[in-house]
Coordinates of all heavy atoms in Angstrom, one line a residue:
M1 N -79.8 -16.6 126.5 CA -79.8 -15.9 127.8 C -80.1 -14.4 127.5 O -79.4 -13.8 126.7 CB -78.5 -16.1 128.5 CG -78.4 -15.3 129.8 SD -76.9 -15.8 130.7 CE -76.0 -14.3 130.5
A2 N -81.1 -13.9 128.1 CA -81.5 -12.5 127.9 C -80.7 -11.6 128.8 O -80.4 -11.9 129.9 CB -83.0 -12.4 128.2
L3 N -80.3 -10.5 128.2 CA -79.5 -9.5 128.9 C -80.4 -8.3 129.2 O -81.2 -7.9 128.3 CB -78.3 -9.1 128.1 CG -77.3 -10.1 127.8 CD1 -76.2 -9.6 126.9 CD2 -76.7 -10.7 129.1
F4 N -80.3 -7.7 130.3 CA -81.0 -6.5 130.7 C -80.1 -5.4 131.3 O -79.1 -5.7 131.9 CB -82.1 -6.9 131.8 CG -83.1 -7.9 131.3 CD1 -82.9 -9.2 131.5 CD2 -84.2 -7.5 130.6 CE1 -83.9 -10.2 131.1 CE2 -85.1 -8.4 130.1 CZ -85.0 -9.7 130.3
C5 N -80.5 -4.2 131.0 CA -79.8 -3.1 131.6 C -79.9 -3.0 133.1 O -81.0 -3.2 133.6 CB -80.3 -1.8 130.9 SG -79.5 -0.3 131.6
H6 N -78.8 -2.8 133.8 CA -78.8 -2.7 135.2 C -79.4 -1.4 135.7 O -79.8 -1.3 136.9 CB -77.4 -2.9 135.8 CG -76.9 -4.2 135.6 ND1 -77.3 -5.3 136.2 CD2 -75.9 -4.7 134.7 CE1 -76.7 -6.4 135.8 NE2 -75.8 -6.0 134.9
Q7 N -79.4 -0.4 134.8 CA -79.9 1.0 135.2 C -81.4 1.1 135.0 O -82.1 1.4 136.0 CB -79.2 2.0 134.4 CG -79.5 3.4 134.8 CD -78.9 3.8 136.1 OE1 -77.9 3.2 136.5 NE2 -79.4 4.8 136.7
C8 N -81.9 0.7 133.8 CA -83.4 0.9 133.6 C -84.2 -0.4 133.4 O -85.4 -0.4 133.4 CB -83.6 1.8 132.3 SG -83.0 1.0 130.8
G9 N -83.5 -1.5 133.2 CA -84.1 -2.8 133.2 C -84.6 -3.2 131.8 O -85.3 -4.2 131.6
S10 N -84.3 -2.4 130.8 CA -84.8 -2.8 129.4 C -83.9 -3.9 128.8 O -82.8 -4.1 129.2 CB -84.7 -1.5 128.5 OG -83.4 -1.1 128.4
A11 N -84.5 -4.6 127.9 CA -83.9 -5.8 127.3 C -82.8 -5.2 126.4 O -82.9 -4.2 125.7 CB -84.8 -6.6 126.5
L12 N -81.6 -6.0 126.3 CA -80.5 -5.6 125.5 C -80.2 -6.7 124.5 O -80.4 -7.8 124.7 CB -79.3 -5.4 126.4 CG -79.4 -4.3 127.5 CD1 -78.2 -4.4 128.3 CD2 -79.5 -3.0 126.8
H13 N -79.6 -6.2 123.4 CA -79.1 -7.1 122.4 C -77.8 -7.7 122.9 O -77.1 -7.1 123.6 CB -78.8 -6.4 121.1 CG -78.5 -7.3 119.9 ND1 -77.2 -7.6 119.6 CD2 -79.3 -7.8 119.0 CE1 -77.2 -8.4 118.6 NE2 -78.4 -8.6 118.2
P14 N -77.5 -9.0 122.7 CA -76.3 -9.7 123.2 C -75.0 -9.0 122.9 O -74.0 -9.0 123.7 CB -76.3 -11.1 122.7 CG -77.8 -11.3 122.3 CD -78.3 -10.0 122.0
S15 N -74.9 -8.3 121.8 CA -73.7 -7.6 121.4 C -73.7 -6.1 121.7 O -72.8 -5.4 121.3 CB -73.4 -7.8 119.9 OG -74.4 -7.1 119.1
A16 N -74.7 -5.6 122.5 CA -74.8 -4.2 122.8 C -73.7 -3.8 123.7 O -73.3 -4.5 124.7 CB -76.2 -3.9 123.4
R17 N -73.2 -2.6 123.5 CA -72.2 -2.0 124.4 C -72.8 -0.9 125.3 O -72.3 -0.5 126.3 CB -71.1 -1.4 123.6 CG -70.3 -2.6 122.9 CD -69.2 -2.1 122.0 NE -68.3 -1.3 122.8 CZ -67.4 -0.5 122.2 NH1 -67.3 -0.4 120.9 NH2 -66.6 0.3 122.9
F18 N -74.0 -0.3 124.8 CA -74.7 0.7 125.5 C -76.2 0.4 125.5 O -76.7 -0.3 124.5 CB -74.5 2.1 124.9 CG -73.1 2.5 124.9 CD1 -72.2 2.3 123.8 CD2 -72.6 3.2 126.0 CE1 -70.9 2.8 123.9 CE2 -71.3 3.6 126.1 CZ -70.4 3.4 125.0
C19 N -76.9 0.8 126.5 CA -78.3 0.6 126.5 C -79.0 1.6 125.6 O -78.7 2.8 125.6 CB -78.9 0.8 128.0 SG -80.7 0.7 128.1
S20 N -79.9 1.0 124.7 CA -80.5 1.9 123.7 C -81.6 2.8 124.4 O -82.0 3.8 123.8 CB -81.2 1.1 122.6 OG -82.1 0.2 123.2
N21 N -82.0 2.5 125.6 CA -83.1 3.2 126.3 C -82.5 4.4 127.1 O -82.9 5.5 127.0 CB -83.9 2.3 127.1 CG -85.1 3.0 127.7 OD1 -85.7 3.9 127.1 ND2 -85.6 2.5 128.8
C22 N -81.5 4.1 127.9 CA -81.0 5.1 128.8 C -79.5 5.5 128.5 O -79.0 6.5 129.1 CB -81.1 4.6 130.3 SG -80.0 3.3 130.7
G23 N -78.8 4.7 127.7 CA -77.5 5.1 127.3 C -76.4 4.6 128.2 O -75.2 5.0 128.1
T24 N -76.7 3.8 129.2 CA -75.8 3.3 130.2 C -74.8 2.4 129.5 O -75.2 1.5 128.7 CB -76.5 2.6 131.3 OG1 -77.4 3.5 132.0 CG2 -75.5 2.1 132.4
S25 N -73.5 2.5 129.9 CA -72.5 1.6 129.3 C -72.7 0.2 129.9 O -72.9 0.0 131.1 CB -71.1 2.1 129.7 OG -70.1 1.2 129.2
I26 N -72.6 -0.8 129.0 CA -72.7 -2.2 129.4 C -71.4 -2.8 129.6 O -70.6 -2.8 128.6 CB -73.6 -3.0 128.4 CG1 -74.9 -2.3 128.1 CG2 -73.8 -4.4 128.8 CD1 -75.8 -2.1 129.3
A27 N -71.1 -3.4 130.7 CA -69.8 -4.0 131.0 C -69.7 -5.3 130.2 O -70.6 -6.1 130.2 CB -69.6 -4.3 132.4
A28 N -68.6 -5.5 129.5 CA -68.4 -6.7 128.7 C -67.9 -7.8 129.6 O -67.2 -7.5 130.6 CB -67.3 -6.4 127.6
P29 N -68.4 -9.0 129.4 CA -67.9 -10.1 130.3 C -66.5 -10.4 130.1 O -65.9 -10.1 129.0 CB -68.8 -11.3 129.8 CG -69.2 -10.9 128.4 CD -69.3 -9.5 128.4
Q30 N -65.8 -10.9 131.1 CA -64.4 -11.2 131.0 C -64.1 -12.3 129.9 O -63.1 -12.2 129.2 CB -63.9 -11.8 132.4 CG -63.9 -10.8 133.5 CD -62.9 -9.7 133.3 OE1 -61.9 -9.9 132.7 NE2 -63.2 -8.5 133.8
F31 N -64.9 -13.2 129.8 CA -64.8 -14.2 128.8 C -66.2 -14.9 128.6 O -67.0 -14.8 129.5 CB -63.8 -15.3 129.1 CG -64.2 -16.3 130.1 CD1 -64.6 -17.6 129.6 CD2 -64.3 -16.1 131.4 CE1 -65.1 -18.5 130.5 CE2 -64.7 -17.0 132.3 CZ -65.1 -18.2 131.9
A32 N -66.4 -15.5 127.5 CA -67.7 -16.1 127.3 C -67.6 -17.6 127.6 O -66.8 -18.3 127.1 CB -68.1 -16.0 125.8
P33 N -68.4 -18.1 128.6 CA -68.4 -19.5 128.9 C -68.8 -20.3 127.6 O -69.5 -19.9 126.8 CB -69.5 -19.7 129.9 CG -69.7 -18.4 130.5 CD -69.4 -17.4 129.4
G34 N -68.2 -21.5 127.5 CA -68.5 -22.3 126.3 C -67.3 -22.2 125.3 O -67.5 -22.6 124.2
T35 N -66.3 -21.5 125.7 CA -65.1 -21.4 124.8 C -64.5 -22.8 124.7 O -64.7 -23.6 125.5 CB -64.1 -20.4 125.3 OG1 -63.7 -20.8 126.6 CG2 -64.7 -19.0 125.4
P36 N -63.7 -23.0 123.7 CA -63.1 -24.3 123.5 C -62.1 -24.6 124.6 O -61.6 -23.7 125.3 CB -62.3 -24.2 122.2 CG -62.4 -22.8 121.8 CD -63.4 -22.1 122.6
L37 N -61.9 -25.9 124.9 CA -61.1 -26.4 126.0 C -59.6 -26.3 125.5 O -59.2 -27.2 124.8 CB -61.5 -27.8 126.4 CG -60.9 -28.3 127.6 CD1 -61.3 -27.5 128.8 CD2 -61.4 -29.8 127.9
I38 N -58.9 -25.2 125.9 CA -57.5 -25.0 125.5 C -56.8 -24.6 126.8 O -57.2 -23.8 127.5 CB -57.4 -23.9 124.5 CG1 -58.1 -24.3 123.2 CG2 -56.0 -23.6 124.2 CD1 -58.2 -23.3 122.1
R39 N -55.6 -25.2 127.0 CA -54.7 -24.8 128.1 C -54.0 -23.5 127.8 O -53.2 -23.4 126.9 CB -53.7 -25.9 128.4 CG -54.3 -27.2 128.9 CD -53.2 -28.2 129.3 NE -52.4 -28.6 128.1 CZ -51.0 -28.4 128.1 NH1 -50.4 -27.9 129.2 NH2 -50.3 -28.7 127.1
P40 N -54.3 -22.4 128.6 CA -53.7 -21.1 128.3 C -52.2 -21.1 128.8 O -51.8 -21.9 129.6 CB -54.5 -20.2 129.1 CG -55.2 -21.0 130.2 CD -55.3 -22.4 129.6
R41 N -51.5 -20.3 128.2 CA -50.1 -20.1 128.5 C -49.9 -19.2 129.8 O -48.9 -19.4 130.5 CB -49.2 -19.6 127.4 CG -49.2 -20.6 126.2 CD -48.3 -20.1 125.1 NE -48.3 -21.0 124.0 CZ -47.5 -22.0 123.9 NH1 -46.6 -22.3 124.9 NH2 -47.5 -22.8 122.8
A42 N -50.7 -18.3 130.0 CA -50.6 -17.3 131.1 C -51.6 -17.7 132.2 O -52.7 -18.0 131.9 CB -50.8 -15.9 130.6
G43 N -51.1 -17.6 133.4 CA -52.0 -17.8 134.6 C -52.1 -19.2 135.1 O -52.8 -19.5 136.0
R44 N -51.4 -20.1 134.5 CA -51.5 -21.5 134.9 C -50.5 -21.8 136.1 O -49.4 -21.1 136.2 CB -51.3 -22.5 133.8 CG -50.0 -22.4 133.1 CD -50.0 -23.3 131.9 NE -48.8 -23.3 131.1 CZ -48.6 -23.9 130.0 NH1 -49.6 -24.7 129.6 NH2 -47.5 -23.8 129.3
Q45 N -50.8 -22.8 136.9 CA -49.9 -23.1 138.0 C -49.0 -24.3 137.6 O -47.8 -24.2 137.8 CB -50.8 -23.5 139.2 CG -51.6 -22.3 139.8 CD -50.7 -21.2 140.3 OE1 -49.7 -21.4 140.9 NE2 -51.1 -20.0 140.0
I46 N -49.5 -25.4 137.2 CA -48.7 -26.5 136.8 C -48.8 -26.7 135.3 O -47.8 -26.5 134.6 CB -49.2 -27.8 137.6 CG1 -49.0 -27.6 139.1 CG2 -48.4 -29.0 137.1 CD1 -49.5 -28.7 139.9
A47 N -49.9 -27.1 134.8 CA -50.0 -27.4 133.4 C -51.2 -26.6 132.7 O -51.3 -26.6 131.5 CB -50.2 -28.9 133.1
G48 N -52.0 -26.0 133.5 CA -53.1 -25.2 133.0 C -54.4 -26.0 132.8 O -55.3 -25.5 132.2
V49 N -54.4 -27.2 133.3 CA -55.6 -28.0 133.2 C -56.8 -27.4 133.9 O -57.9 -27.3 133.4 CB -55.3 -29.5 133.6 CG1 -56.6 -30.3 133.6 CG2 -54.3 -30.1 132.7
C50 N -56.6 -27.1 135.2 CA -57.7 -26.5 136.0 C -58.2 -25.2 135.4 O -59.4 -24.9 135.3 CB -57.3 -26.3 137.4 SG -57.0 -27.8 138.3
L51 N -57.2 -24.4 134.9 CA -57.5 -23.1 134.3 C -58.3 -23.3 133.0 O -59.2 -22.5 132.7 CB -56.3 -22.3 134.1 CG -56.5 -20.8 133.6 CD1 -57.3 -20.0 134.5 CD2 -55.1 -20.2 133.4
A52 N -58.0 -24.3 132.2 CA -58.7 -24.6 131.0 C -60.1 -25.0 131.3 O -61.0 -24.5 130.6 CB -58.0 -25.7 130.2
F53 N -60.3 -25.8 132.3 CA -61.7 -26.2 132.6 C -62.5 -25.0 133.2 O -63.7 -24.8 132.8 CB -61.7 -27.4 133.6 CG -61.5 -28.7 133.0 CD1 -60.3 -29.4 133.2 CD2 -62.5 -29.3 132.2 CE1 -60.1 -30.6 132.6 CE2 -62.3 -30.5 131.6 CZ -61.1 -31.2 131.8
A54 N -61.9 -24.2 134.0 CA -62.5 -23.0 134.6 C -63.0 -22.1 133.5 O -64.1 -21.6 133.5 CB -61.6 -22.4 135.6
R55 N -62.1 -21.8 132.5 CA -62.4 -20.8 131.5 C -63.5 -21.4 130.5 O -64.3 -20.7 130.0 CB -61.2 -20.4 130.7 CG -60.3 -19.5 131.4 CD -59.2 -19.0 130.5 NE -58.4 -18.0 131.2 CZ -57.3 -17.5 130.7 NH1 -56.9 -17.8 129.5 NH2 -56.6 -16.6 131.4
S56 N -63.4 -22.7 130.3 CA -64.3 -23.3 129.3 C -65.7 -23.4 129.8 O -66.7 -23.2 129.1 CB -63.8 -24.7 128.9 OG -64.7 -25.3 128.0
Y57 N -65.9 -23.6 131.1 CA -67.2 -23.8 131.7 C -67.7 -22.6 132.5 O -68.8 -22.6 133.0 CB -67.3 -25.1 132.5 CG -67.1 -26.3 131.7 CD1 -65.9 -27.1 131.8 CD2 -68.1 -26.7 130.8 CE1 -65.7 -28.2 131.0 CE2 -67.9 -27.9 130.1 CZ -66.7 -28.6 130.1 OH -66.6 -29.7 129.4
G58 N -66.9 -21.6 132.6 CA -67.3 -20.4 133.4 C -67.2 -20.5 134.9 O -68.0 -19.9 135.6
W59 N -66.4 -21.4 135.4 CA -66.2 -21.6 136.8 C -65.1 -20.7 137.4 O -64.3 -20.2 136.6 CB -65.9 -23.1 137.1 CG -66.9 -24.0 136.6 CD1 -68.3 -23.8 136.5 CD2 -66.7 -25.4 136.2 NE1 -68.9 -24.9 136.1 CE2 -67.9 -25.9 135.9 CE3 -65.6 -26.2 136.2 CZ2 -68.1 -27.2 135.5 CZ3 -65.7 -27.5 135.7 CH2 -67.0 -28.0 135.4
E60 N -65.0 -20.6 138.7 CA -64.0 -19.9 139.4 C -62.8 -20.8 139.4 O -62.8 -21.9 139.9 CB -64.4 -19.5 140.8 CG -63.4 -18.8 141.6 CD -63.1 -17.4 141.0 OE1 -64.0 -16.7 140.5 OE2 -61.9 -17.0 141.1
V61 N -61.6 -20.3 139.0 CA -60.4 -21.2 138.8 C -59.9 -21.6 140.2 O -59.4 -22.8 140.3 CB -59.3 -20.5 138.0 CG1 -58.7 -19.3 138.8 CG2 -58.2 -21.4 137.7
T62 N -60.0 -20.8 141.2 CA -59.6 -21.2 142.6 C -60.4 -22.4 143.1 O -59.9 -23.3 143.7 CB -59.7 -20.0 143.5 OG1 -59.0 -18.9 143.0 CG2 -59.1 -20.3 144.9
L63 N -61.7 -22.3 142.9 CA -62.6 -23.4 143.3 C -62.2 -24.7 142.5 O -62.2 -25.8 143.1 CB -64.0 -23.0 143.1 CG -65.1 -24.0 143.5 CD1 -65.0 -24.2 145.0 CD2 -66.4 -23.6 143.1
V64 N -62.0 -24.6 141.3 CA -61.6 -25.8 140.5 C -60.3 -26.4 141.0 O -60.2 -27.6 141.1 CB -61.5 -25.5 139.0 CG1 -60.9 -26.6 138.2 CG2 -62.8 -25.0 138.4
R65 N -59.3 -25.6 141.3 CA -58.0 -26.1 141.9 C -58.2 -26.7 143.2 O -57.6 -27.7 143.5 CB -57.0 -24.9 141.9 CG -56.6 -24.5 140.6 CD -55.7 -23.3 140.7 NE -55.2 -22.9 139.3 CZ -54.8 -21.7 139.0 NH1 -54.8 -20.7 139.9 NH2 -54.4 -21.5 137.8
I66 N -59.0 -26.1 144.1 CA -59.3 -26.7 145.4 C -60.0 -28.1 145.3 O -59.6 -29.0 145.9 CB -60.1 -25.7 146.3 CG1 -59.2 -24.5 146.7 CG2 -60.6 -26.4 147.5 CD1 -60.0 -23.4 147.3
V67 N -61.0 -28.1 144.4 CA -61.7 -29.4 144.2 C -60.7 -30.5 143.6 O -60.7 -31.6 144.0 CB -62.9 -29.2 143.3 CG1 -63.5 -30.5 142.8 CG2 -63.9 -28.4 144.0
A68 N -59.8 -30.0 142.7 CA -58.9 -31.0 142.2 C -57.9 -31.5 143.2 O -57.6 -32.7 143.2 CB -58.1 -30.3 141.0
V69 N -57.4 -30.7 144.1 CA -56.5 -31.1 145.2 C -57.2 -32.0 146.2 O -56.7 -33.1 146.5 CB -55.8 -29.9 145.9 CG1 -55.1 -30.4 147.1 CG2 -54.9 -29.2 144.9
V70 N -58.4 -31.7 146.6 CA -59.2 -32.5 147.5 C -59.5 -33.8 147.0 O -59.4 -34.9 147.6 CB -60.4 -31.7 148.0 CG1 -61.4 -32.6 148.8 CG2 -60.0 -30.5 148.8
T71 N -60.0 -33.9 145.7 CA -60.3 -35.2 145.1 C -59.0 -36.0 144.8 O -59.1 -37.2 144.9 CB -61.1 -35.0 143.8 OG1 -60.4 -34.1 142.9 CG2 -62.4 -34.4 144.1
L72 N -57.9 -35.3 144.6 CA -56.6 -36.1 144.5 C -56.3 -36.8 145.8 O -55.9 -37.9 145.8 CB -55.5 -35.1 144.0 CG -54.1 -35.7 144.0 CD1 -54.1 -36.7 142.8 CD2 -53.1 -34.7 143.8
I73 N -56.5 -36.1 146.9 CA -56.2 -36.7 148.2 C -57.1 -37.9 148.5 O -56.7 -38.9 148.9 CB -56.3 -35.6 149.3 CG1 -55.1 -34.6 149.1 CG2 -56.2 -36.2 150.7 CD1 -55.3 -33.3 149.9
F74 N -58.4 -37.7 148.2 CA -59.4 -38.7 148.6 C -59.6 -39.8 147.6 O -60.4 -40.7 147.8 CB -60.7 -38.0 149.0 CG -60.6 -37.3 150.3 CD1 -60.8 -35.9 150.3 CD2 -60.3 -37.9 151.5 CE1 -60.7 -35.2 151.5 CE2 -60.2 -37.2 152.7 CZ -60.4 -35.8 152.7
S75 N -59.0 -39.7 146.4 CA -59.3 -40.7 145.4 C -58.1 -41.6 145.2 O -58.1 -42.4 144.2 CB -59.6 -40.0 144.0 OG -58.4 -39.4 143.5
S76 N -57.2 -41.6 146.0 CA -56.0 -42.5 146.0 C -55.2 -42.3 144.7 O -54.7 -43.3 144.2 CB -56.4 -44.0 146.1 OG -57.1 -44.1 147.3
G77 N -55.2 -41.1 144.1 CA -54.4 -40.8 143.0 C -55.1 -41.0 141.6 O -54.5 -40.8 140.6
I78 N -56.3 -41.5 141.6 CA -57.0 -41.7 140.3 C -57.1 -40.3 139.6 O -57.0 -40.3 138.4 CB -58.4 -42.3 140.6 CG1 -58.3 -43.7 141.2 CG2 -59.2 -42.4 139.2 CD1 -57.6 -44.7 140.4
I79 N -57.4 -39.3 140.3 CA -57.6 -38.0 139.7 C -56.2 -37.5 139.2 O -56.2 -36.8 138.2 CB -58.1 -36.9 140.7 CG1 -59.6 -37.4 141.1 CG2 -58.2 -35.5 140.2 CD1 -60.5 -37.4 140.0
G80 N -55.1 -37.9 139.8 CA -53.8 -37.6 139.3 C -53.6 -38.1 137.9 O -53.0 -37.5 137.0
I81 N -54.0 -39.3 137.7 CA -53.9 -40.0 136.4 C -54.8 -39.2 135.4 O -54.4 -39.0 134.2 CB -54.3 -41.5 136.4 CG1 -53.3 -42.2 137.3 CG2 -54.4 -42.1 135.1 CD1 -53.6 -43.6 137.7
A82 N -56.0 -38.9 135.8 CA -56.9 -38.1 134.9 C -56.3 -36.7 134.6 O -56.4 -36.2 133.5 CB -58.3 -37.9 135.6
Y83 N -55.6 -36.1 135.6 CA -55.0 -34.8 135.3 C -53.9 -35.0 134.3 O -53.7 -34.1 133.4 CB -54.4 -34.3 136.6 CG -53.9 -32.9 136.6 CD1 -54.7 -31.8 136.8 CD2 -52.6 -32.6 136.2 CE1 -54.3 -30.5 136.7 CE2 -52.1 -31.3 136.1 CZ -52.9 -30.2 136.4 OH -52.5 -29.0 136.3
L84 N -53.1 -36.0 134.4 CA -52.0 -36.2 133.4 C -52.6 -36.5 132.1 O -52.0 -36.0 131.0 CB -51.1 -37.4 133.9 CG -50.2 -37.2 135.1 CD1 -49.5 -38.4 135.5 CD2 -49.2 -36.1 134.8
A85 N -53.7 -37.2 132.0 CA -54.3 -37.5 130.7 C -54.8 -36.2 130.1 O -54.7 -36.0 128.9 CB -55.4 -38.5 130.9
A86 N -55.4 -35.3 130.9 CA -55.9 -34.0 130.4 C -54.7 -33.2 130.0 O -54.8 -32.4 129.0 CB -56.7 -33.4 131.5
W87 N -53.6 -33.2 130.7 CA -52.4 -32.5 130.4 C -52.0 -32.9 129.0 O -51.6 -32.0 128.1 CB -51.3 -32.7 131.4 CG -50.1 -31.9 131.3 CD1 -49.7 -31.1 130.3 CD2 -49.1 -31.8 132.3 NE1 -48.5 -30.5 130.6 CE2 -48.1 -30.9 131.8 CE3 -48.9 -32.4 133.5 CZ2 -46.9 -30.7 132.5 CZ3 -47.7 -32.1 134.2 CH2 -46.8 -31.2 133.7
I88 N -52.0 -34.1 128.7 CA -51.6 -34.6 127.4 C -52.7 -34.4 126.3 O -52.4 -34.0 125.2 CB -51.3 -36.1 127.4 CG1 -50.0 -36.3 128.3 CG2 -51.0 -36.7 126.1 CD1 -49.8 -37.8 128.7
G89 N -53.9 -34.5 126.7 CA -55.0 -34.5 125.7 C -55.5 -33.1 125.3 O -56.0 -32.9 124.2
I90 N -55.5 -32.2 126.3 CA -56.0 -30.8 126.0 C -54.9 -30.0 125.3 O -53.8 -29.9 125.7 CB -56.4 -30.1 127.3 CG1 -57.5 -30.9 128.0 CG2 -56.9 -28.7 127.0 CD1 -57.9 -30.4 129.3
P91 N -55.3 -29.5 124.1 CA -54.2 -28.7 123.4 C -53.9 -27.4 124.1 O -54.6 -26.8 124.8 CB -54.9 -28.4 122.0 CG -56.4 -28.5 122.3 CD -56.5 -29.5 123.4
E92 N -52.6 -27.0 123.8 CA -52.1 -25.8 124.4 C -52.4 -24.6 123.5 O -52.5 -24.7 122.3 CB -50.6 -25.9 124.6 CG -50.0 -24.8 125.5 CD -48.6 -25.1 125.9 OE1 -47.9 -25.9 125.1 OE2 -48.1 -24.6 126.9
E93 N -52.6 -23.4 124.2 CA -52.9 -22.2 123.4 C -51.7 -21.9 122.5 O -50.6 -22.0 122.8 CB -53.1 -21.1 124.4 CG -53.4 -19.8 123.9 CD -53.6 -18.7 125.0 OE1 -52.7 -18.6 125.8 OE2 -54.6 -18.0 124.9
P94 N -52.1 -21.5 121.2 CA -51.0 -21.2 120.3 C -50.2 -20.0 120.7 O -50.7 -19.1 121.4 CB -51.7 -21.0 119.0 CG -53.1 -20.8 119.3 CD -53.4 -21.4 120.6
L95 N -48.9 -19.9 120.3 CA -48.1 -18.8 120.5 C -48.6 -17.6 119.7 O -49.1 -17.7 118.6 CB -46.7 -19.1 120.1 CG -45.9 -20.0 121.0 CD1 -44.6 -20.4 120.4 CD2 -45.7 -19.4 122.4
P96 N -48.5 -16.4 120.3 CA -49.0 -15.2 119.6 C -48.0 -14.9 118.4 O -46.8 -15.2 118.5 CB -48.9 -14.1 120.6 CG -48.0 -14.5 121.6 CD -48.1 -16.0 121.6
I97 N -48.5 -14.3 117.3 CA -47.7 -14.0 116.2 C -46.8 -12.8 116.6 O -47.4 -11.7 116.9 CB -48.5 -13.8 115.0 CG1 -49.3 -15.0 114.6 CG2 -47.7 -13.3 113.8 CD1 -50.3 -14.8 113.5
M98 N -45.5 -12.9 116.5 CA -44.7 -11.8 117.0 C -44.8 -10.5 116.1 O -44.8 -9.4 116.6 CB -43.2 -12.3 117.0 CG -43.0 -13.4 118.0 SD -43.5 -12.9 119.6 CE -42.0 -12.5 120.3
G99 N -45.0 -10.7 114.8 CA -45.0 -9.5 113.9 C -46.2 -8.7 114.1 O -46.2 -7.5 113.8
S100 N -47.3 -9.2 114.6 CA -48.6 -8.4 114.7 C -48.7 -7.7 116.0 O -49.4 -6.7 116.1 CB -49.8 -9.3 114.6 OG -49.8 -10.3 115.6
T101 N -47.9 -8.0 117.0 CA -48.0 -7.4 118.3 C -46.9 -6.4 118.6 O -47.0 -5.5 119.5 CB -48.0 -8.4 119.5 OG1 -46.8 -9.1 119.4 CG2 -49.2 -9.3 119.3
F102 N -45.8 -6.4 117.9 CA -44.7 -5.5 118.1 C -44.6 -4.6 116.9 O -44.8 -4.9 115.8 CB -43.4 -6.3 118.3 CG -43.4 -7.1 119.5 CD1 -43.6 -8.5 119.5 CD2 -43.3 -6.6 120.8 CE1 -43.6 -9.3 120.6 CE2 -43.4 -7.3 121.9 CZ -43.5 -8.7 121.8
P103 N -44.1 -3.3 117.1 CA -43.8 -2.4 116.0 C -42.7 -3.0 115.2 O -41.8 -3.7 115.7 CB -43.5 -1.1 116.7 CG -43.0 -1.4 118.1 CD -43.8 -2.7 118.4
P104 N -42.6 -2.6 113.9 CA -41.5 -3.1 113.1 C -40.1 -2.6 113.6 O -40.0 -1.5 114.3 CB -41.8 -2.5 111.7 CG -42.7 -1.4 112.0 CD -43.5 -1.7 113.2
A105 N -39.1 -3.4 113.4 CA -37.8 -3.0 113.8 C -37.3 -1.8 113.1 O -37.6 -1.6 111.9 CB -36.8 -4.2 113.6
P106 N -36.5 -1.0 113.7 CA -36.0 0.2 113.1 C -34.9 -0.2 112.0 O -34.3 -1.2 112.1 CB -35.3 1.1 114.2 CG -35.0 0.1 115.3 CD -36.1 -1.0 115.1
P107 N -34.8 0.6 110.9 CA -33.9 0.2 109.9 C -32.4 0.3 110.4 O -32.1 1.2 111.2 CB -34.1 1.2 108.8 CG -34.9 2.4 109.4 CD -35.6 1.8 110.6
T108 N -31.6 -0.5 109.9 CA -30.2 -0.5 110.3 C -29.4 0.3 109.3 O -29.7 0.3 108.1 CB -29.6 -2.0 110.4 OG1 -29.8 -2.6 109.2 CG2 -30.4 -2.8 111.5
A109 N -28.4 0.9 109.8 CA -27.5 1.7 108.9 C -26.5 0.8 108.2 O -25.9 0.0 108.9 CB -26.8 2.8 109.7
S110 N -26.4 0.9 107.0 CA -25.5 0.0 106.2 C -24.3 0.7 105.7 O -24.3 1.8 105.2 CB -26.2 -0.7 105.0 OG -27.3 -1.4 105.5

């Protein structure tokens, strides 16, 4: 997929942060579609299945949730079974490493 500057229209390198022609800052995408199918820990409503599909394929999560509920109603529960299977089959996002995100604990007086 080719990227172009919104200011001057020149072609951009996929990893560019600024336009080499006019210097305009290039907004980074929220996430890259095509990421692995993983159920995130933050932002999920029930099990994170709809959010996982939305992030993986680049869809709007609200639309995915609405489609899931509507198809659940009209499919006599077949989609509910598929949702449960996806809940079991899609791996959950790993926990963050606590030592790398927090400052070290202050020394204790002995």
Side-chain angles (χ1 to χ4, degrees):
M1 179 171 110
L3 297 175
F4 297 95
C5 177
H6 294 288
Q7 187 72 23
C8 66
S10 63
L12 300 172
H13 189 270
S15 64
R17 294 177 55 196
F18 297 95
C19 176
S20 61
N21 191 27
C22 68
T24 303
S25 177
I26 307 300
Q30 294 291 331
F31 79 100
T35 58
L37 192 60
I38 296 175
R39 292 185 301 120
R41 293 187 182 273
R44 60 183 177 185
Q45 296 295 318
I46 297 175
V49 173
C50 292
L51 185 57
F53 279 109
R55 285 188 177 176
S56 180
Y57 294 109
W59 300 331
E60 181 65 36
V61 68
T62 306
L63 182 64
V64 173
R65 288 175 177 154
I66 290 170
V67 168
V69 169
V70 169
T71 55
L72 175 67
I73 292 169
F74 291 115
S75 70
S76 303
I78 300 293
I79 297 299
I81 295 169
Y83 188 90
L84 289 174
W87 187 349
I88 294 168
I90 299 174
E92 193 169 24
E93 181 179 50
L95 289 170
I97 299 171
M98 297 303 261
S100 64
T101 58
F102 295 106
T108 57
S110 303

